[in-house]
Amino acid sequence: MLDFCCDYKNGAHPAVLARLAETNSQTTGTYGFDEYSDAAKEKIKAACKAKDADVFFIAGGTQTNMTVISSCLQPYEGVVAASTGHINCHEAGAVEHSGYKVLALPHHDGKVDANELEAYLKDFEENPSRDHMVFPAMLYISYPTEYGTIYKKEELSDLRRVCDKYGLTVFLDGARLGYGLTSPECDIDLPFLAGICDVFYIGGTKVGALCGEAVVFPKGAPAHFITMVKQRGAMLAKSRVLGVQFDALFTDGLYFKIAKNGIDRAYELKAAFERKGYKFYIDSPTNQQFIVLDEKTLARLEKKVNFEVWEKTADGCTVVRFATSWSTTKEEITELYKLL
Amino acid sequence: MLDFCCDYKNGAHPAVLARLAETNSQTTGTYGFDEYSDAAKEKIKAACKAKDADVFFIAGGTQTNMTVISSCLQPYEGVVAASTGHINCHEAGAVEHSGYKVLALPHHDGKVDANELEAYLKDFEENPSRDHMVFPAMLYISYPTEYGTIYKKEELSDLRRVCDKYGLTVFLDGARLGYGLTSPECDIDLPFLAGICDVFYIGGTKVGALCGEAVVFPKGAPAHFITMVKQRGAMLAKSRVLGVQFDALFTDGLYFKIAKNGIDRAYELKAAFERKGYKFYIDSPTNQQFIVLDEKTLARLEKKVNFEVWEKTADGCTVVRFATSWSTTKEEITELYKLL
Amino acid sequence: MLDFCCDYKNGAHPAVLARLAETNSQTTGTYGFDEYSDAAKEKIKAACKAKDADVFFIAGGTQTNMTVISSCLQPYEGVVAASTGHINCHEAGAVEHSGYKVLALPHHDGKVDANELEAYLKDFEENPSRDHMVFPAMLYISYPTEYGTIYKKEELSDLRRVCDKYGLTVFLDGARLGYGLTSPECDIDLPFLAGICDVFYIGGTKVGALCGEAVVFPKGAPAHFITMVKQRGAMLAKSRVLGVQFDALFTDGLYFKIAKNGIDRAYELKAAFERKGYKFYIDSPTNQQFIVLDEKTLARLEKKVNFEVWEKTADGCTVVRFATSWSTTKEEITELYKLL
Amino acid sequence: MLDFCCDYKNGAHPAVLARLAETNSQTTGTYGFDEYSDAAKEKIKAACKAKDADVFFIAGGTQTNMTVISSCLQPYEGVVAASTGHINCHEAGAVEHSGYKVLALPHHDGKVDANELEAYLKDFEENPSRDHMVFPAMLYISYPTEYGTIYKKEELSDLRRVCDKYGLTVFLDGARLGYGLTSPECDIDLPFLAGICDVFYIGGTKVGALCGEAVVFPKGAPAHFITMVKQRGAMLAKSRVLGVQFDALFTDGLYFKIAKNGIDRAYELKAAFERKGYKFYIDSPTNQQFIVLDEKTLARLEKKVNFEVWEKTADGCTVVRFATSWSTTKEEITELYKLL
């Protein structure tokens, strides 16, 4: 059966797996101090044009969000996010379990609006009860968002300006960063992100790795970050497993090449649905496409293809998600088209 | 200067203080096991007609909310509250600091709507990703709410029914319970609350005590609750301090008599503002009154009387709060009227 | 029945209670910003000769320990304490519940030894695995200790020197500070403590108050400490309750006068036991006296006088604690003597 | 250079890697619900003769300890461990960061003694202050221990009996379980462990996997364990990565075969040191060998072979650890012998 459920249903990109095999019998350092992690860090710093950056590899996304957020905030601080942000919805309360409040703002197709953020921060600053409230101290945004949308360069610059004005750090969740940066609508790149974020991560799990996310602190990490990584259980003993994979992904631009495949297939998929007259829930320029299905079509399609049910609409239809990935083939899109 | 800022700016009701003085030289038990705490617990159980209840005294409201919520929830669970709920706004993230998420619903003059709650719980139950989400397991409501409003008996019964259907416990924050139960609009009483709540507290700090809240678990407390109270730092060594005060408050109905004074003065204050043509932000039947002031009136009044600035309106006016209490006098209302 | 169980079984010192009564009908500020708290803070700063100090009032000891420790440590840090330290034994895991490890060192009659501390810190510093360990960052000591003993000035200076060398802050738990500072064996005073500690507290609950501890940060508190106090549920709305009491205790040296009564009675009690040939478990110069009782004497005494059972000895005897306090009378000691 | 530093410096066993490669292009379920995880779970349940068991795969050891412990304990409970237990020493306070106290008992070559455990639990039960203390509720033991030693069947049965008597659950950390179960001194097997533990884990990272530990709850897991796994950041999206590896390890007894290689090499290494007259710090029957080196020998050896410095002895010698593993070859032992 065709499967467009998500972008982490296959193994690793063959080149990544090959690199794991090639290096398998070597003896290396551990706990982040292995030569492959070192090499991968250098390649990522070069790709970001951020020579003072600190880079760390962590096995998964929720773990990364939880570790970064709880390591950067003071106890009296919280993290601002869109109501639809992954940390606010689908991480089982990992941020709160670590002791921190997610301060949710309304979302606009998954995005935070700079003016609304500024109004919120101004209100907080002027609130006579603010010492009894959680201090907004970090902005969490996803790129692409949970709805597949991406911020324009100007939107990101506006958010940064507001954060600077009110003293917030900026953390960008790049679980699907590759699919954002290779979208035809994208007007930014890694060096831009490194310039605008205090910390962000480059997602590997969804872009060709077996597992792994690369956390980048362009201006340097908090003191003793690795001890906090250990404390949150987020340090792999055999750290080479992540190092080797990111070394492969950042050799000869592999990461972007394979992400681009996900985007090319997504645009073909989008065109397929359009041609067949389907209605889109949102206009997504990345590898997640949200389609509105009536009951009958839903029933018909789910017998032949796997996709994810997202939410119900007021009029009884269902929003579903079709995701392409680095491993999606042109053939799969052709087959899908026949089924629509 | 006249002061209507809040209901905790004076000491204790004279009868409460007298009881502290009378018992001062006695030697008593400690850590909750003193004879005055015992007596007060019996009186509260009798007032609630809840003979199987467990009652505990805790010094303050935030402490009570934090201790109760974090003692009743499993790690994967969260507490549902109105977006305006005290735990969601003005407790500096105490619930999240304890590891739990506040799941905010829209408020209606400070209240949670049973239909909206049901829709939210149904959505959660049907959500295919629910194992990646925080499980709604407790409903937190305030009575009166942070806007001074109170739930009707029917509204509370509806909330209880929804909570039963979806397996939530009900926790009622009664920081100002006396002012709710003595409002002319109130159609419930303590035994009704004991029947409908899994846990609630009877606020003392704002109703005549120096400090202290009485937590009531009508069907019994969680195992080892006192150890969790100790762990959260919420156990007073000299527990008699709280026991003596609640013993006094629940002797001869003192708690309700003095709360009623707050309500009587609130209605006089309300009438005073009405007669002078002021606009109310909300129609509150309890001791907190929310008035909308234009800039000029605000500037004029704040020179002569203390009140709390609540929030700005879209058209540049200011919502302010005037609170009466057990200690407010008729004379103070008369003086205020002259200033309006 | 005579009662020497502990030093918090009576109400407040009459002068403290009188001050609460005198000020009861006044209208004051709240949440720490009332005139009595302000006055008490000034008096405490003067008594400590620490004009740059920040002073806060918190209702109880466990709450104070938990709030101070969790507000001062980074997530990767822990607090070093004697194995017998109150935070390590009798606070139900409040420090760990806040997320921090208590790093226990062997005790010597309740005290930490500076050489052992230095050896421990040196070992940590040289440990190649230290990034996988909890960083010792604060020293917690009690004065008097849980065994009634007190540190000599030189011992405290040695501890401070070691802490400076290894970058630890010093936190002194003064739940019974009055009884330490008025002991004939004491060679320090409040200004000395203010010079040697980063933070300490002056216990009120056990020295004449209904409740309340005064936290002193001689060099200033961590940023936004009051928000962290609020978050831990440790902020009283009616803060005057603590302010008025400490204002009374620090007027005309009342705190020390009444503590001295506890010490004078303790020495009489000590003499009484000595004259009757009882064996002491420890040589305590403060208000807690630890006596070793054989089974028969234990059975005989516990019918006539209340005291606390501490621990069993290897040879089947029982260590018990007799505590005097600010309220113990000469008559009580005389009566006790007759019973021994 | 020869390397005996630890047992996680190589990649995966070739058969494990081969299985990852073979299955790489397949599309599978996610978040623990993939067919390889399912198959691996069945094989582990069969190997444990525990058909009612719940099995989960988690990426690393600290993560597993933290997730299991914090999911099984109530807030007022703590976990008892040897002072040398990994959770007490080398996990950066992960258990405390989750809110729980590690209650350390003296160790005997890394082991907990059942009589000492019983004495400790009896003392707790009889302690009149126990409601102010952390309740011992789980026993954590390692097999093999951090010193390479293993418990005899009778010792484990005694510990279980004591835990039953006092109501503790038993959690066994099997990070190196393979090296324990294939030791010539071992008198237990997986079914015995499944009978005696409430939860234990079978370590993969140190026994042939790239990463991964298999957590086994023989009588079933706590409710909603997977949500708690997610909340602690311990759930891999691409769960097949762990499933495939454990499927390979538990096919045709591979796990035990390769662990046995580590043991065989360890005994050869032991014999080599013995023949050369080296002194052992501890008599270890597993893959970690602890040797005492004088300063000169240390200086000489560390130029030619990697090993881990463990601790200093009182007389200025150094305890070092040599670890063999599934990948150590006879040739490496022969080369090492020449260097000694």
Side-chain angles (χ1 to χ4, degrees):
Chain A
M1 188 140 105
L2 277 175
D3 197 318
F4 290 91
C5 253
C6 66
D7 35 18
Y8 40 96
K9 298 198 86 171
N10 291 87
H13 186 274
V16 170
L17 197 68
R19 201 84 182 98
L20 281 171
E22 277 164 43
T23 59
N24 188 56
S25 63
Q26 297 173 18
T27 299
T28 60
T30 55
Y31 295 124
F33 297 101
D34 64 274
E35 39 278 49
Y36 293 103
S37 292
D38 287 348
K41 288 174 185 184
E42 288 309 312
K43 286 174 183 170
I44 287 171
K45 285 159 68 173
C48 294
K49 293 189 180 148
K51 64 178 172 25
D52 299 327
D54 284 325
V55 181
F56 302 87
F57 301 111
I58 291 183
T62 295
Q63 194 171 52
T64 301
N65 287 335
M66 170 188 96
T67 302
V68 166
I69 292 169
S70 70
S71 297
C72 291
L73 294 180
Q74 294 298 311
Y76 52 88
E77 297 177 338
V79 55
V80 179
S83 61
T84 47
H86 204 254
I87 56 167
N88 195 44
C89 300
H90 290 113
E91 301 193 351
V95 171
E96 291 84 1
H97 184 68
S98 307
Y100 298 95
K101 192 176 183 72
V102 178
L103 302 157
L105 290 186
H107 79 101
H108 302 275
D109 293 351
K111 296 194 279 184
V112 173
D113 176 78
N115 291 330
E116 287 178 7
L117 175 65
E118 181 153 21
Y120 168 76
L121 296 174
K122 189 165 177 291
D123 271 4
F124 175 81
E125 203 168 87
E126 294 173 355
N127 195 318
S129 298
R130 70 182 169 282
D131 282 345
H132 294 223
M133 297 170 75
V134 174
F135 283 57
M138 175 187 261
L139 173 66
Y140 164 95
I141 51 175
S142 323
Y143 188 97
T145 69
E146 293 71 13
Y147 278 116
T149 53
I150 53 177
Y151 292 88
K152 300 308 279 183
K153 183 185 260 192
E154 203 186 333
E155 292 174 308
L156 291 170
S157 300
D158 284 348
L159 287 171
R160 177 76 255 183
R161 186 187 45 72
V162 172
C163 288
D164 280 342
K165 185 168 170 190
Y166 290 93
L168 277 74
T169 57
V170 173
F171 171 35
L172 184 143
D173 175 335
R176 293 187 169 91
L177 189 58
Y179 302 120
L181 293 180
T182 58
S183 163
E185 308 257 329
C186 172
D187 59 0
I188 63 160
D189 56 13
L190 276 181
F192 177 79
L193 284 186
I196 219 166
C197 296
D198 295 279
V199 50
F200 67 99
Y201 77 89
I202 304 171
T205 301
K206 289 162 181 162
V207 192
L210 290 176
C211 60
E213 324 295 318
V215 183
V216 183
F217 290 93
K219 294 164 246 170
H224 300 295
F225 185 68
I226 60 167
T227 300
M228 295 189 280
V229 169
K230 175 79 183 178
Q231 189 180 61
R232 275 70 166 179
M235 184 183 281
L236 276 198
K238 224 172 262 187
S239 53
R240 63 193 277 163
V241 173
L242 304 177
V244 167
Q245 294 186 83
F246 271 96
D247 187 47
L249 287 170
F250 278 82
T251 298
D252 299 332
L254 181 66
Y255 184 78
F256 296 101
K257 274 181 225 164
I258 68 178
K260 187 64 169 54
N261 178 75
I263 290 301
D264 290 345
R265 298 296 83 74
Y267 272 75
E268 291 166 9
L269 178 145
K270 208 171 166 173
F273 276 105
E274 276 168 352
R275 250 173 289 139
K276 295 280 191 172
Y278 281 77
K279 193 181 149 203
F280 290 80
Y281 180 65
I282 224 164
D283 182 23
S284 158
T286 64
N287 75 315
Q288 300 178 85
Q289 295 295 325
F290 298 86
I291 324 285
V292 185
L293 302 181
D294 59 40
E295 220 172 313
K296 213 173 119 189
T297 314
L298 175 66
R300 181 170 62 82
L301 282 183
E302 67 189 1
K303 283 183 203 134
K304 300 177 179 164
V305 54
N306 285 324
F307 48 82
E308 200 158 335
V309 169
W310 211 249
E311 62 195 64
K312 294 278 169 194
T313 62
D315 59 351
C317 288
T318 302
V319 179
V320 301
R321 184 185 73 175
F322 281 75
T324 62
S325 82
W326 58 273
S327 67
T328 309
T329 61
K330 267 181 170 298
E331 289 67 35
E332 289 173 303
I333 305 294
T334 310
E335 275 192 64
L336 173 65
Y337 181 70
K338 293 180 198 158
L339 301 174
L340 295 183
Chain B
M1 189 143 104
L2 276 175
D3 197 317
F4 291 90
C5 253
C6 67
D7 34 19
Y8 41 95
K9 298 198 85 170
N10 291 86
H13 186 274
V16 170
L17 197 69
R19 200 86 183 99
L20 281 170
E22 277 165 42
T23 59
N24 188 56
S25 62
Q26 297 174 18
T27 298
T28 61
T30 55
Y31 293 126
F33 297 102
D34 64 274
E35 39 278 51
Y36 293 103
S37 292
D38 288 347
K41 287 173 186 185
E42 289 309 314
K43 286 174 183 171
I44 286 170
K45 284 159 68 174
C48 294
K49 295 190 178 148
K51 65 177 171 26
D52 298 329
D54 283 326
V55 180
F56 301 88
F57 301 110
I58 291 182
T62 295
Q63 194 171 52
T64 300
N65 287 335
M66 169 189 97
T67 302
V68 165
I69 292 169
S70 71
S71 297
C72 291
L73 293 180
Q74 293 299 310
Y76 51 87
E77 297 177 337
V79 55
V80 180
S83 62
T84 47
H86 205 254
I87 56 167
N88 195 44
C89 300
H90 290 112
E91 301 193 351
V95 170
E96 291 84 1
H97 184 68
S98 307
Y100 298 95
K101 191 175 184 74
V102 178
L103 302 158
L105 289 187
H107 79 100
H108 301 275
D109 292 352
K111 294 195 280 184
V112 173
D113 176 77
N115 291 329
E116 287 178 8
L117 175 64
E118 182 153 20
Y120 169 76
L121 297 174
K122 189 164 177 291
D123 271 5
F124 176 80
E125 204 169 85
E126 294 173 356
N127 195 318
S129 298
R130 69 182 169 281
D131 284 344
H132 294 222
M133 297 169 75
V134 174
F135 284 56
M138 177 187 260
L139 173 66
Y140 164 95
I141 50 175
S142 323
Y143 189 97
T145 68
E146 294 71 13
Y147 277 116
T149 53
I150 53 178
Y151 292 88
K152 299 308 278 183
K153 182 186 263 195
E154 202 186 333
E155 292 174 307
L156 291 171
S157 300
D158 284 348
L159 288 171
R160 176 75 255 185
R161 186 185 46 72
V162 173
C163 287
D164 280 342
K165 184 169 171 189
Y166 290 93
L168 278 73
T169 57
V170 173
F171 171 34
L172 184 143
D173 176 336
R176 293 186 169 93
L177 189 58
Y179 302 121
L181 293 182
T182 58
S183 163
E185 307 256 330
C186 172
D187 58 0
I188 63 160
D189 56 14
L190 276 181
F192 177 79
L193 284 186
I196 219 165
C197 296
D198 294 280
V199 49
F200 67 99
Y201 77 89
I202 304 171
T205 302
K206 289 162 182 162
V207 191
L210 290 175
C211 60
E213 323 295 319
V215 182
V216 183
F217 291 93
K219 293 164 246 171
H224 299 295
F225 185 67
I226 61 169
T227 300
M228 295 189 280
V229 169
K230 176 78 183 180
Q231 189 180 60
R232 275 71 167 180
M235 183 183 281
L236 276 198
K238 225 172 262 187
S239 53
R240 64 192 277 164
V241 174
L242 304 177
V244 166
Q245 294 186 83
F246 272 96
D247 187 47
L249 287 170
F250 277 82
T251 298
D252 299 332
L254 181 66
Y255 185 77
F256 295 101
K257 274 182 225 162
I258 68 178
K260 187 64 168 53
N261 179 76
I263 291 301
D264 290 345
R265 298 298 83 73
Y267 272 74
E268 291 166 9
L269 178 145
K270 209 170 167 177
F273 276 106
E274 276 168 352
R275 249 173 290 141
K276 295 279 192 171
Y278 281 76
K279 193 181 148 201
F280 289 81
Y281 180 64
I282 223 163
D283 182 23
S284 159
T286 63
N287 75 315
Q288 300 179 85
Q289 296 294 326
F290 297 87
I291 324 285
V292 184
L293 303 180
D294 60 40
E295 219 173 315
K296 214 173 118 190
T297 313
L298 176 66
R300 181 172 61 84
L301 281 184
E302 66 188 1
K303 282 182 203 134
K304 299 178 181 163
V305 54
N306 285 325
F307 47 83
E308 201 158 334
V309 169
W310 211 251
E311 61 195 66
K312 294 279 170 195
T313 63
D315 59 351
C317 288
T318 302
V319 178
V320 302
R321 183 186 74 175
F322 281 74
T324 62
S325 82
W326 59 272
S327 66
T328 309
T329 60
K330 268 180 168 299
E331 290 66 36
E332 289 173 303
I333 304 295
T334 309
E335 276 193 62
L336 173 64
Y337 181 70
K338 292 180 197 155
L339 301 174
L340 295 183
Chain C
M1 190 140 102
L2 278 175
D3 198 316
F4 290 91
C5 253
C6 68
D7 35 18
Y8 41 95
K9 298 198 85 170
N10 292 87
H13 185 275
V16 170
L17 196 69
R19 202 83 183 99
L20 281 170
E22 278 165 41
T23 60
N24 188 56
S25 63
Q26 297 173 20
T27 298
T28 61
T30 55
Y31 294 124
F33 298 100
D34 64 275
E35 39 277 50
Y36 293 103
S37 292
D38 288 348
K41 287 174 186 185
E42 288 310 313
K43 286 174 183 171
I44 287 170
K45 285 159 68 173
C48 294
K49 294 189 178 147
K51 64 178 172 25
D52 298 329
D54 284 326
V55 181
F56 301 87
F57 302 111
I58 291 183
T62 295
Q63 194 171 53
T64 301
N65 287 334
M66 170 189 97
T67 302
V68 166
I69 292 170
S70 70
S71 298
C72 290
L73 295 180
Q74 293 299 310
Y76 51 87
E77 298 177 336
V79 56
V80 180
S83 61
T84 47
H86 204 255
I87 56 167
N88 196 43
C89 300
H90 291 112
E91 301 192 350
V95 171
E96 292 83 1
H97 185 67
S98 308
Y100 298 95
K101 192 176 184 70
V102 178
L103 302 158
L105 289 186
H107 79 101
H108 301 276
D109 292 354
K111 295 194 281 184
V112 173
D113 176 79
N115 291 328
E116 286 179 7
L117 175 65
E118 181 153 21
Y120 168 76
L121 297 174
K122 189 165 177 292
D123 271 4
F124 176 80
E125 202 167 88
E126 294 174 355
N127 195 318
S129 298
R130 70 181 169 283
D131 282 346
H132 294 222
M133 298 168 75
V134 174
F135 283 56
M138 176 187 262
L139 173 66
Y140 165 94
I141 50 176
S142 324
Y143 188 95
T145 68
E146 293 72 14
Y147 278 116
T149 53
I150 52 177
Y151 292 87
K152 300 307 279 183
K153 182 185 261 192
E154 202 186 333
E155 292 175 308
L156 290 170
S157 299
D158 285 348
L159 288 171
R160 177 76 256 183
R161 186 187 46 74
V162 172
C163 287
D164 281 343
K165 185 168 170 189
Y166 289 93
L168 278 73
T169 56
V170 174
F171 171 34
L172 185 143
D173 175 336
R176 294 186 168 93
L177 189 57
Y179 302 120
L181 293 181
T182 58
S183 162
E185 308 256 329
C186 172
D187 59 359
I188 62 160
D189 57 12
L190 275 180
F192 177 79
L193 284 186
I196 219 166
C197 296
D198 295 280
V199 50
F200 67 100
Y201 77 89
I202 304 171
T205 301
K206 288 162 181 162
V207 192
L210 290 176
C211 60
E213 323 294 319
V215 183
V216 183
F217 290 93
K219 295 163 246 171
H224 300 295
F225 185 68
I226 61 167
T227 300
M228 295 189 280
V229 169
K230 175 79 184 178
Q231 191 181 60
R232 275 71 165 179
M235 184 184 279
L236 277 197
K238 224 172 262 188
S239 54
R240 63 192 277 163
V241 173
L242 303 177
V244 167
Q245 293 187 82
F246 271 96
D247 187 47
L249 287 170
F250 278 82
T251 297
D252 300 332
L254 181 66
Y255 184 78
F256 295 102
K257 274 182 225 162
I258 68 176
K260 189 61 169 53
N261 178 75
I263 290 302
D264 290 346
R265 298 297 82 76
Y267 272 75
E268 291 165 9
L269 178 145
K270 208 170 167 174
F273 276 106
E274 275 167 353
R275 250 172 288 140
K276 296 279 192 171
Y278 282 77
K279 195 181 146 200
F280 288 80
Y281 180 66
I282 224 165
D283 182 22
S284 158
T286 63
N287 75 316
Q288 300 180 84
Q289 295 295 324
F290 298 85
I291 325 285
V292 185
L293 302 181
D294 60 39
E295 220 174 312
K296 214 173 117 188
T297 313
L298 176 66
R300 181 169 62 82
L301 282 183
E302 67 188 1
K303 283 183 202 134
K304 300 175 179 165
V305 54
N306 286 324
F307 48 82
E308 200 159 333
V309 169
W310 211 250
E311 62 196 64
K312 293 281 169 193
T313 62
D315 59 352
C317 288
T318 303
V319 179
V320 302
R321 184 185 73 175
F322 281 74
T324 62
S325 82
W326 59 272
S327 67
T328 308
T329 60
K330 265 181 171 299
E331 290 66 36
E332 289 173 303
I333 304 294
T334 310
E335 274 192 64
L336 173 65
Y337 181 69
K338 292 180 198 155
L339 300 175
L340 295 183
Chain D
M1 188 141 103
L2 277 175
D3 197 317
F4 290 91
C5 253
C6 67
D7 35 18
Y8 40 95
K9 297 198 86 170
N10 292 87
H13 186 274
V16 170
L17 197 68
R19 201 84 183 99
L20 281 170
E22 277 165 40
T23 60
N24 189 56
S25 64
Q26 297 173 19
T27 298
T28 62
T30 56
Y31 295 125
F33 299 101
D34 63 275
E35 39 278 50
Y36 293 103
S37 292
D38 288 347
K41 287 173 187 185
E42 288 309 313
K43 286 173 184 172
I44 286 171
K45 285 159 68 173
C48 294
K49 294 190 180 147
K51 65 178 173 23
D52 298 329
D54 284 327
V55 181
F56 301 88
F57 301 112
I58 291 183
T62 295
Q63 195 171 51
T64 301
N65 287 333
M66 170 188 97
T67 302
V68 166
I69 292 169
S70 71
S71 297
C72 291
L73 294 180
Q74 294 298 311
Y76 51 87
E77 297 177 337
V79 55
V80 180
S83 60
T84 47
H86 204 254
I87 56 168
N88 195 44
C89 300
H90 290 111
E91 301 192 350
V95 171
E96 291 83 2
H97 185 68
S98 307
Y100 298 94
K101 191 176 184 72
V102 178
L103 302 158
L105 289 187
H107 79 101
H108 301 276
D109 292 353
K111 295 195 280 185
V112 173
D113 176 78
N115 290 329
E116 286 178 8
L117 175 64
E118 181 153 21
Y120 169 76
L121 296 174
K122 189 165 176 292
D123 271 5
F124 176 80
E125 204 169 86
E126 294 174 355
N127 195 320
S129 297
R130 70 182 169 282
D131 282 346
H132 294 222
M133 298 169 74
V134 174
F135 283 56
M138 175 186 262
L139 173 66
Y140 165 94
I141 50 175
S142 324
Y143 189 97
T145 68
E146 293 72 13
Y147 278 116
T149 52
I150 53 177
Y151 292 87
K152 300 308 279 183
K153 182 185 263 194
E154 202 186 332
E155 292 174 308
L156 291 171
S157 299
D158 284 348
L159 287 170
R160 178 75 255 184
R161 185 187 47 72
V162 173
C163 287
D164 280 342
K165 185 169 170 188
Y166 289 93
L168 278 74
T169 55
V170 174
F171 171 34
L172 185 143
D173 175 335
R176 293 186 168 93
L177 189 58
Y179 302 121
L181 293 181
T182 57
S183 163
E185 307 256 330
C186 172
D187 59 358
I188 63 160
D189 57 13
L190 275 181
F192 177 80
L193 284 186
I196 219 165
C197 295
D198 295 280
V199 49
F200 67 100
Y201 78 90
I202 304 171
T205 302
K206 289 162 181 163
V207 192
L210 290 175
C211 60
E213 324 294 320
V215 183
V216 183
F217 290 93
K219 295 164 246 171
H224 300 295
F225 185 68
I226 61 168
T227 300
M228 294 189 280
V229 169
K230 176 78 183 180
Q231 189 181 59
R232 274 71 166 181
M235 184 183 280
L236 277 198
K238 225 173 261 188
S239 53
R240 63 193 278 162
V241 173
L242 304 177
V244 167
Q245 293 187 83
F246 272 96
D247 187 46
L249 287 170
F250 277 83
T251 297
D252 299 332
L254 182 66
Y255 185 77
F256 296 100
K257 274 180 225 162
I258 68 178
K260 188 64 168 53
N261 178 77
I263 290 301
D264 290 345
R265 298 298 83 74
Y267 272 75
E268 292 166 8
L269 177 145
K270 207 170 169 176
F273 277 106
E274 275 168 353
R275 249 171 290 140
K276 296 279 193 172
Y278 281 76
K279 194 180 146 201
F280 288 81
Y281 180 65
I282 224 164
D283 183 23
S284 158
T286 64
N287 76 316
Q288 300 179 85
Q289 295 294 324
F290 297 86
I291 324 284
V292 185
L293 303 180
D294 59 39
E295 218 173 313
K296 214 173 120 189
T297 314
L298 175 66
R300 181 171 61 82
L301 281 184
E302 67 188 1
K303 284 184 202 131
K304 300 177 180 163
V305 54
N306 285 324
F307 48 83
E308 199 159 334
V309 169
W310 211 249
E311 62 195 65
K312 293 281 170 193
T313 62
D315 59 353
C317 288
T318 302
V319 179
V320 302
R321 184 185 73 176
F322 281 74
T324 62
S325 82
W326 59 272
S327 67
T328 309
T329 61
K330 266 180 171 298
E331 290 65 37
E332 288 172 304
I333 304 295
T334 309
E335 275 192 65
L336 173 64
Y337 181 70
K338 292 180 199 155
L339 302 174
L340 295 183

